[in-house]
Amino acid sequence: MEEQDIKAVVIAAKKLDIIRCGPESGLKRWAHLSLCVLDAVFSINAHYSGVVNVCRRYADQVGLAHRLYSRGTEHPGGEEPLSRFAERAADMDALAAVLDNRGRTSPRGGILKPEAAMEYARILVDHGVNLLIDVEKLLADEKRLAKVETVLAQVPGHGAHGVRLSYLWMLAGDDTGIKPDRMVLNWLAHVLKRPIGVPEARTLVTAAAQIIGCTPWELDHAIWLDQRGTAK
């Protein structure tokens, strides 16, 4: 990666509408780790509107209140323990019916996304991650995090570069990561006039965010908004 590439990304990024996280931003995040898991698993190779519908159907079925809250504000409380989600997800047919989605993690050799979500939940709970606050503690412990990520990577649909897993941490509150999906890759490819891979995308966006003075999450979100508008 050349210094001129970072400079080009910074110039292009400054033209985006970068919304800084805070109570006044209007940006929201899931109030339940279970919804973060569903979002992360179902968002791979899917339109996000469909992912939101999956989360909504589950929340409606189990009566989750305060599904979203503003970034930068205190959690409203009443979070569903992930262990409860894992118990409900044990009946795979029932869960798939509630979510109204039997998509697979990949066309060949993939498992049902509801099954992958259940596996994610089971693994996290087994490693003491039951609430959003537990994710924060996990991310602060590098050795423990490495062990958990190794097991989560074994769930089909992980991908060569672990996009799904890094996206889960983002949803759960990690502002230092990005989701280098097709939106980000397409934007970078347009800016640099060449194909961009996932590892390089992570490096470029992270470096550009540091120079601009925003978080990688904020820049990732601005790129997503820009690409969503382009796709309409």
Side-chain angles (χ1 to χ4, degrees), residues 59-119:
D60 286 346
Q61 177 67 22
V62 302
L64 295 186
H66 304 297
R67 300 169 190 184
L68 294 166
Y69 71 104
S70 298
R71 298 183 71 90
T73 63
E74 185 176 349
H75 190 282
E79 182 181 352
E80 175 193 45
L82 195 58
S83 57
R84 184 67 183 116
F85 171 81
E87 292 171 2
R88 289 167 169 149
D91 187 338
M92 191 51 52
D93 288 337
L95 179 63
V98 167
L99 302 181
D100 192 23
N101 189 305
R102 290 183 176 273
R104 292 186 172 272
T105 54
S106 60
R108 295 183 179 181
I111 62 174
L112 291 174
K113 286 185 176 181
E115 184 178 353
M118 183 272 289
E119 283 296 308

